[in-house]
Amino acid sequence: MSDHCTAHDPPSPEAITETVPPPAKAAEARAAAVAFVEALDPLPSPSAAQDLLLLVSELVTNAVRHAGAVTALAFGADEKALYVQVADPSPDSPQQRVPDMSGAAGGFGWPLVLKLARKVTVRNHMGQGKIISATMAR
């Protein structure tokens, strides 16, 4: 799998501080993200918190739509960054597509993920799909 923004490694395991049950839909992922953010001290900026909700929503929506499910969801934070990891059962890397302006076929999610995140990596998950890791400014 390839790294879509930089050649850096994904966040270290110690940066991921909370693993939550895999959500079946984006609303569940947003609720988990809100709970994660509200437990942080200090809180991230309001714009970073909103961006995290949008980022996790897009990642989960893409996993459900294109891979059939989310198999794992985890969050993390340190003094400078927020992290989210989404695993799904498909080994296929996300594909950039021309956005469908009618809304029927999508094409907006992956470009939005790449815009919101400071770093995005896609890696094989032990032959059981992939893990997308995103890092954003806190």
Side-chain angles (χ1 to χ4, degrees), residues 41-128:
D41 185 21
L43 291 172
S45 71
S47 64
Q50 289 175 343
D51 286 352
L52 179 65
L53 293 180
L54 186 54
L55 181 68
V56 75
S57 184
E58 290 298 330
L59 287 171
V60 167
T61 297
N62 285 349
V64 170
R65 176 181 270 183
H66 301 292
V70 173
T71 56
L73 174 62
F75 298 97
D78 59 27
E79 58 280 343
K80 293 182 180 182
L82 298 172
Y83 306 97
V84 62
Q85 289 185 337
V86 175
D88 69 49
S90 172
D92 298 333
S93 290
Q95 300 297 312
Q96 191 129 349
R97 297 180 289 127
V98 174
D100 178 357
M101 299 311 280
S102 73
F108 295 94
W110 190 241
L112 187 56
V113 165
L114 297 176
K115 183 167 179 60
L116 290 169
R118 184 170 67 194
K119 176 174 64 172
V120 176
T121 58
V122 178
R123 69 183 195 278
N124 186 308
H125 184 52
M126 301 179 288
Q128 299 179 1

